Tab-separated table of all heavy atoms in Angstrom:
chain	number	residue	atom	x	y	z
A	382	ASP	N	96.704	80.080	147.864
A	382	ASP	CA	96.657	79.130	148.975
A	382	ASP	C	95.605	78.051	148.763
A	382	ASP	O	95.745	76.930	149.265
A	382	ASP	CB	96.388	79.890	150.277
A	382	ASP	CG	96.528	78.999	151.495
A	382	ASP	OD1	97.646	78.466	151.716
A	382	ASP	OD2	95.539	78.810	152.219
A	383	LYS	N	94.565	78.361	148.008
A	383	LYS	CA	93.532	77.353	147.769
A	383	LYS	C	94.079	76.174	146.979
A	383	LYS	O	93.687	75.021	147.198
A	383	LYS	CB	92.358	77.985	147.012
A	383	LYS	CG	91.195	77.038	146.774
A	383	LYS	CD	90.045	77.745	146.073
A	383	LYS	CE	88.877	76.791	145.828
A	383	LYS	NZ	87.749	77.464	145.117
A	384	ASP	N	95.000	76.453	146.071
A	384	ASP	CA	95.583	75.398	145.239
A	384	ASP	C	96.839	74.819	145.885
A	384	ASP	O	96.899	73.634	146.213
A	384	ASP	CB	95.907	75.957	143.857
A	384	ASP	CG	96.489	74.905	142.912
A	384	ASP	OD1	96.532	73.715	143.284
A	384	ASP	OD2	96.906	75.281	141.802
A	385	TYR	N	97.848	75.656	146.122
A	385	TYR	CA	99.146	75.138	146.549
A	385	TYR	C	99.185	74.766	148.028
A	385	TYR	O	99.887	73.833	148.421
A	385	TYR	CB	100.251	76.163	146.238
A	385	TYR	CG	100.607	76.192	144.772
A	385	TYR	CD1	99.859	76.939	143.866
A	385	TYR	CD2	101.667	75.445	144.282
A	385	TYR	CE1	100.169	76.957	142.518
A	385	TYR	CE2	101.986	75.463	142.930
A	385	TYR	CZ	101.229	76.215	142.056
A	385	TYR	OH	101.542	76.215	140.718
A	386	ARG	N	98.465	75.500	148.854
A	386	ARG	CA	98.435	75.220	150.293
A	386	ARG	C	99.848	74.993	150.825
A	386	ARG	O	100.137	74.023	151.519
A	386	ARG	CB	97.552	73.996	150.579
A	386	ARG	CG	96.080	74.211	150.234
A	386	ARG	CD	95.265	72.975	150.415
A	386	ARG	NE	95.601	71.963	149.416
A	386	ARG	CZ	95.090	70.735	149.378
A	386	ARG	NH1	94.225	70.350	150.296
A	386	ARG	NH2	95.448	69.898	148.439
A	387	SER	N	100.729	75.939	150.498
A	387	SER	CA	102.141	75.760	150.807
A	387	SER	C	102.469	75.963	152.279
A	387	SER	O	103.461	75.429	152.781
A	387	SER	CB	102.977	76.739	149.973
A	387	SER	OG	102.653	78.082	150.294
A	388	GLY	N	101.646	76.756	152.982
A	388	GLY	CA	102.020	77.112	154.334
A	388	GLY	C	103.203	78.073	154.302
A	388	GLY	O	103.505	78.688	153.288
A	389	ARG	N	103.893	78.171	155.406
A	389	ARG	CA	105.025	79.102	155.507
A	389	ARG	C	106.321	78.354	155.219
A	389	ARG	O	106.810	77.581	156.045
A	389	ARG	CB	105.066	79.715	156.901
A	389	ARG	CG	106.191	80.738	157.101
A	389	ARG	CD	105.869	82.023	156.363
A	389	ARG	NE	106.956	82.996	156.506
A	389	ARG	CZ	107.938	83.133	155.634
A	389	ARG	NH1	108.002	82.362	154.559
A	389	ARG	NH2	108.874	84.047	155.811
A	390	ILE	N	106.875	78.528	154.032
A	390	ILE	CA	108.132	77.888	153.653
A	390	ILE	C	109.226	78.939	153.616
A	390	ILE	O	109.212	79.819	152.749
A	390	ILE	CB	108.031	77.193	152.278
A	390	ILE	CG1	106.900	76.171	152.258
A	390	ILE	CG2	109.353	76.526	151.919
A	390	ILE	CD1	106.661	75.553	150.896
A	391	PRO	N	110.171	78.906	154.529
A	391	PRO	CA	111.258	79.884	154.472
A	391	PRO	C	112.195	79.608	153.303
A	391	PRO	O	112.535	78.460	153.019
A	391	PRO	CB	111.981	79.693	155.808
A	391	PRO	CG	111.642	78.308	156.240
A	391	PRO	CD	110.270	78.015	155.685
A	392	ILE	N	112.597	80.671	152.608
A	392	ILE	CA	113.561	80.558	151.511
A	392	ILE	C	114.897	81.123	151.994
A	392	ILE	O	114.986	82.292	152.360
A	392	ILE	CB	113.080	81.311	150.260
A	392	ILE	CG1	111.840	80.637	149.672
A	392	ILE	CG2	114.187	81.375	149.211
A	392	ILE	CD1	111.282	81.321	148.429
A	393	TRP	N	115.912	80.268	152.015
A	393	TRP	CA	117.262	80.671	152.358
A	393	TRP	C	118.036	80.825	151.053
A	393	TRP	O	118.181	79.855	150.304
A	393	TRP	CB	117.951	79.632	153.219
A	393	TRP	CG	117.411	79.458	154.606
A	393	TRP	CD1	116.325	80.072	155.162
A	393	TRP	CD2	117.943	78.581	155.604
A	393	TRP	NE1	116.153	79.637	156.438
A	393	TRP	CE2	117.130	78.726	156.749
A	393	TRP	CE3	119.020	77.703	155.646
A	393	TRP	CZ2	117.372	78.009	157.916
A	393	TRP	CZ3	119.270	76.992	156.801
A	393	TRP	CH2	118.444	77.149	157.931
A	394	VAL	N	118.545	82.001	150.798
A	394	VAL	CA	119.268	82.252	149.557
A	394	VAL	C	120.764	82.068	149.796
A	394	VAL	O	121.368	82.788	150.588
A	394	VAL	CB	118.975	83.664	149.022
A	394	VAL	CG1	119.826	83.936	147.788
A	394	VAL	CG2	117.492	83.805	148.686
A	395	GLY	N	121.338	81.082	149.108
A	395	GLY	CA	122.753	80.813	149.219
A	395	GLY	C	123.558	81.663	148.255
A	395	GLY	O	123.017	82.322	147.369
A	396	GLY	N	124.875	81.601	148.435
A	396	GLY	CA	125.763	82.355	147.558
A	396	GLY	C	126.609	83.333	148.341
A	396	GLY	O	126.071	84.150	149.103
A	397	ASN	N	127.921	83.252	148.171
A	397	ASN	CA	128.836	84.127	148.893
A	397	ASN	C	129.210	85.391	148.111
A	397	ASN	O	129.935	86.231	148.611
A	397	ASN	CB	130.123	83.358	149.242
A	397	ASN	CG	129.874	82.249	150.250
A	397	ASN	OD1	128.739	81.938	150.579
A	397	ASN	ND2	130.939	81.655	150.737
A	398	SER	N	128.717	85.505	146.891
A	398	SER	CA	129.042	86.666	146.059
A	398	SER	C	128.145	87.851	146.409
A	398	SER	O	127.125	87.717	147.108
A	398	SER	CB	128.845	86.315	144.584
A	398	SER	OG	127.468	86.073	144.318
Side-chain angles (χ1 to χ4, degrees):
D382 188 61
K383 183 178 180 181
D384 181 6
Y385 284 83
R386 295 175 291 176
S387 62
R389 182 73 182 94
I390 303 174
I392 293 180
W393 292 4
V394 176
N397 293 9
S398 66

